[in-house]
Each structure stands twice: as structure tokens, then as C-alpha cells.
Amino acid sequence: MADKKTILTYAGLKALEEELENLKVVKRKEVAAKIKEAREQGDLSENAEYDAAKDEQRDIEARIEEIEKILKNAEVVVEDEVDFDKINIGCSVLVYDKEFDEEIQFKIVGSTEANSLQGKISNESPVGQALLGKKVGDEIQVETQAGVMEYKVLKIERAN
């Protein structure tokens, strides 16, 4: 089975590339030094530092493998080519939340970059899916875990 394409913005691609470089160049050396130091303490069977360092090494290698797989299957959204007449991945969207009588800013990104605390929502999330393709003035209702949310699209612009 072919791996699923991962949709990334250019900023998301750069962030993953930087993380991968840091893991390979910095973190690998750090954990190798920890393992070496723990080995020098003698008996490894009861050496908590050694076990912790090996766990950290395993986590780093797993994350490197995960990032490499994401990058191998990445499809980068060229934000300069995004049509801002309708909502697309790479857009920043200002919506009016009818229930809470407030404006909310969302950036529509691929699932790998999603971070609700930063206002980045996935194109695969219920709200993200409902917003895709909508235009300024459109209203949507979307079923979420918190209930039915109602939004009106106020503004679509290039995400920073």
C-alpha cells in the first residue's frame, strides 16, 4: 500500500527539516555521550542512566524515521499559488463564532502541522473540512466534539 501524501505548508516543511537536522547532528551526539558516560560507570544491568539514555536514543531514532517518512511523502502547498477567493490549505481565515459572539483566526494546514493552541487547524479536522472551499460571507455549521459550531467567514488572506 502506498503511503498517504502529507500536505505541508512551506513553513511546516522548513520546521521539519530543521528538527531533522537538529536530531541528526546535535541530539544523536548528546545521547551517544550520555550512553558512553553511563557505560563507564560499570554494571549496565542496574544502571538507570544507561537505560534512560538508551530510551532517549530509541525515541530520537523513531522521530528521525517519522520525519523522514513525512518528508518523503510531503506535498508542499505553494502559498503564492493559493487562490484567496476561497479557503484552501495555506490560508489564514477570520471567522465569526456565532455562539460565543467573537472573531477567531484559523490557519488551515496539513494534519502534521496542526496545533490548536497556535490556531493552526488541520484540513482533515471537522472545522477544517467544513471551511475548505468556502468564500467570504459563507456560513457553516459543523458537528464537533463540543457540539454544533456555527461560523461565518469574514476574511481570507495569505497566512504569515
Side-chain angles (χ1 to χ4, degrees), residues 108 121-134 140 142:
I108 311 295
I121 62 170
S122 167
N123 62 311
E124 298 173 12
S125 70
V127 174
Q129 283 181 340
L131 286 171
L132 285 177
K134 299 297 186 263
I140 63 163
V142 59

Side-chain angles (χ1 to χ4, degrees), residues 80-154:
D80 292 341
E81 297 173 5
V82 171
D83 174 10
F84 293 102
D85 291 337
K86 60 182 190 228
I87 299 171
N88 249 308
I89 296 170
C91 288
S92 183
V93 183
L94 183 66
V95 297
Y96 172 72
D97 183 327
K98 292 182 175 186
E99 181 181 354
F100 293 104
D101 188 29
E102 65 182 1
E103 292 180 357
I104 303 171
Q105 187 85 29
F106 292 124
K107 180 175 180 185
I108 311 295
V109 296
S111 59
T112 306
E113 294 176 73
N115 182 333
S116 60
L117 298 176
Q118 296 175 355
K120 295 178 180 179
I121 62 170
S122 167
N123 62 311
E124 298 173 12
S125 70
V127 174
Q129 283 181 340
L131 286 171
L132 285 177
K134 299 297 186 263
K135 298 180 178 189
V136 172
D138 285 355
E139 295 186 14
I140 63 163
Q141 286 188 338
V142 59
E143 184 76 37
T144 68
Q145 292 175 336
V148 176
M149 307 298 289
E150 291 186 55
Y151 298 116
K152 180 175 183 175
V153 179
L154 301 177

